[in-house]
Amino acid sequence: MKISPSILSADFTCLGKELKAIEEAGADYVHVDVMDGRFVPNITIGPFVVEAIKRATALPLDVHLMIDEPEKYVEDFARAGSSIITVHVEAARHLHKAVQMIKDKGLKAGVSINPATPVNTLEDIMEDADLILIMSVNPGFSGQGFIPSSLKKIEAVRRMIGEAGRPIELEVDGGIKINNIKEVALAGADVFVSGSGIFGTGDYKKTIAAMRKEIGSVKAEV
């Protein structure tokens, strides 16, 4: 199980230090939210910032494209240093094509769905995706509360992954904190994105350790 701090909640006035801090705190990925102001109501960062992040950390970059027509930008973000590129079911006009473009670059391909999107939209991509990302908040802003009904979606997708018989990571993004990460893990997630749940605390190492303890208790129960 992996922890992927969302850099959108970091202090961008000292981004290099923030990246070093989560690396030393034991993070597994750096989650990078890319927003275009069209697919979601916010604008964040582009390939040049991703390239700078890549230079500042040894951690794999988990790049989440919350943008319309992501096919147009896969090459740019691949060149910038992404390790994983995730696109949205709702945003890609040709989802299989987008996923194949990512895989052709030698990267892991992720596919994401928003809270109101049914899980059956993932059925035809399960043979190709390396990661499925369930949004547990409506995308666009950090600091939102976890949507409880997301737990049923996580459980459903975990069953789909089992039926596919492939090593697909199940990632969850939105409102994940120490006090709810256990139930998200119990539902079947194995990659946990947390923004303010980590960067909003005073001690990243202590917070990530506490999250791992909660996850560990789930593994012990199972």
Side-chain angles (χ1 to χ4, degrees), residues 128-201:
D128 300 287
D130 300 304
L131 177 147
I132 299 295
L133 169 55
I134 304 297
M135 291 300 300
S136 47
V137 297
N138 289 296
F141 298 94
S142 62
Q144 299 180 66
F146 182 87
I147 298 173
S149 61
S150 302
L151 294 172
K152 291 183 179 179
K153 296 181 77 171
I154 298 165
E155 292 170 354
V157 175
R158 173 50 63 191
R159 289 192 294 270
M160 292 171 68
I161 290 173
E163 291 167 2
R166 298 182 56 247
I168 303 171
E169 291 186 309
L170 179 49
E171 184 173 63
V172 180
D173 180 1
I176 293 180
K177 301 180 184 298
I178 295 171
N179 63 4
N180 64 10
I181 196 169
K182 180 176 180 177
E183 59 182 338
V184 177
L186 278 168
D190 47 29
V191 182
F192 307 86
V193 178
S194 182
S196 59
I198 293 174
F199 288 105
T201 68

Side-chain angles (χ1 to χ4, degrees), residues 194-212:
S194 182
S196 59
I198 293 174
F199 288 105
T201 68
D203 189 330
Y204 305 161
K205 187 173 184 178
K206 181 179 179 180
T207 299
I208 290 176
M211 287 179 167
R212 291 201 187 281

Side-chain angles (χ1 to χ4, degrees), residues 77-151:
F77 283 100
R79 190 184 305 115
S82 306
S83 298
I84 305 165
I85 296 179
T86 297
V87 299
H88 271 258
V89 166
E90 306 90 350
R93 291 186 179 180
H94 305 286
L95 184 60
H96 281 88
K97 178 182 178 181
V99 166
Q100 196 56 56
M101 287 176 68
I102 297 166
K103 294 171 78 75
D104 286 347
K105 297 296 181 182
L107 310 179
K108 288 186 177 182
V111 176
S112 182
I113 57 173
N114 287 334
T117 302
V119 298
N120 62 12
T121 57
L122 296 167
E123 288 177 358
D124 292 334
I125 203 65
M126 297 300 288
E127 292 300 317
D128 300 287
D130 300 304
L131 177 147
I132 299 295
L133 169 55
I134 304 297
M135 291 300 300
S136 47
V137 297
N138 289 296
F141 298 94
S142 62
Q144 299 180 66
F146 182 87
I147 298 173
S149 61
S150 302
L151 294 172

Side-chain angles (χ1 to χ4, degrees), residues 27-61:
D28 299 288
Y29 294 152
V30 177
H31 191 82
V32 184
D33 288 311
V34 177
M35 305 180 192
D36 63 356
R38 295 176 59 200
F39 180 63
V40 292
N42 202 353
I43 298 174
T44 55
I45 66 176
F48 292 118
V49 178
V50 173
E51 187 177 346
I53 292 171
K54 179 65 177 177
R55 292 197 301 269
T57 182
L59 294 173
L61 302 191

